[in-house]
Amino acid sequence: MNKYETVKDYVYSQYAKINLESLRIEAISHTSQVDLCITQLAMARDIDIETAKICALLHDFAQFTKNCSHAEHARISSIVASKYLEETGLFTQEEMDHIAYAIGQHSHKEAYNDPPLCECLKDADLMARFFVDPKMELSGTKKQRLLDACADLAR
Ligand SMILES: [Fe+2]
């Protein structure tokens, strides 16, 4: 997984430079937790694992490195990810488009109709948050999303 390793080294090297310790810890821990969750979900759903893991690595990149608003973080992370992936020269246009789209949509957890990679990222993000805080309040849609994701893993 050469592409994954390249992106992972870059993302974590950038996160290691975050000055505020609590934000640095949150960036590294949340990203690695989403990476673990998406690996399991991608395997269960027959989605390309390396592509899914790269989505996890970059999904909140702008939030952690550019201090953007939460409302804008998915859209801006998608733009930043796209630019970075292009610079690596390792990805096809189609791969970059799929990854950027999934990142850009990942905040819309109430919507179910996105492509499988995108839904996988939403589920992994929610799962990771839930595993850290199992007492978190979940709305009807998010609760169902989490239950469905757990059911996919149990199959
Ligand atoms: Fe996010």
Side-chain angles (χ1 to χ4, degrees):
M1 297 210 294
N2 182 35
K3 292 185 238 182
Y4 168 75
E5 294 298 335
T6 299
V7 178
K8 185 175 143 195
D9 288 349
Y10 173 71
V11 168
Y12 287 115
S13 72
Q14 295 303 303
Y15 286 173
K17 291 182 200 166
I18 297 171
N19 280 323
L20 186 64
E21 186 182 28
S22 58
L23 187 64
R24 186 169 66 248
I25 291 170
E26 167 70 4
I28 294 168
S29 61
H30 177 63
T31 302
S32 62
Q33 286 151 4
V34 176
D35 189 345
L36 288 178
C37 290
I38 210 166
T39 303
Q40 297 173 68
L41 286 168
M43 288 171 76
R45 297 174 182 177
D46 207 15
I47 290 168
D48 183 77
I49 294 169
E50 184 170 32
T51 309
K53 285 168 76 64
I54 289 166
C55 285
L57 288 174
L58 290 164
H59 81 287
D60 280 344
F61 193 72
Q63 179 170 345
F64 293 129
T65 61
K66 304 209 177 292
N67 203 21
C68 62
S69 72
H70 188 73
E72 284 279 70
H73 87 281
R75 189 180 68 79
I76 299 174
S77 292
S78 164
I79 294 166
V80 175
S82 220
K83 191 166 171 286
Y84 163 70
L85 293 174
E86 189 158 13
E87 281 168 10
T88 67
L90 295 172
F91 295 85
T92 65
Q93 189 62 50
E94 191 181 18
E95 287 170 329
M96 290 188 286
D97 289 348
H98 286 158
I99 293 167
Y101 186 77
I103 293 171
Q105 291 297 108
H106 86 268
S107 287
H108 299 299
K109 294 187 176 64
E110 70 294 340
Y112 273 100
N113 300 321
D114 282 316
L117 178 65
C118 194
E119 291 299 321
C120 200
L121 178 59
K122 293 181 198 178
D123 290 347
D125 193 15
L126 185 60
M127 225 175 208
R129 294 272 181 217
F130 179 76
F131 289 156
V132 169
D133 178 16
K135 294 198 166 137
M136 71 190 279
E137 284 289 322
L138 283 174
S139 67
T141 315
K142 282 189 182 174
K143 189 173 182 181
Q144 193 57 51
R145 180 180 282 288
L146 187 65
L147 289 170
D148 291 345
C150 290
D152 281 354
L153 294 186
R155 265 191 242 155

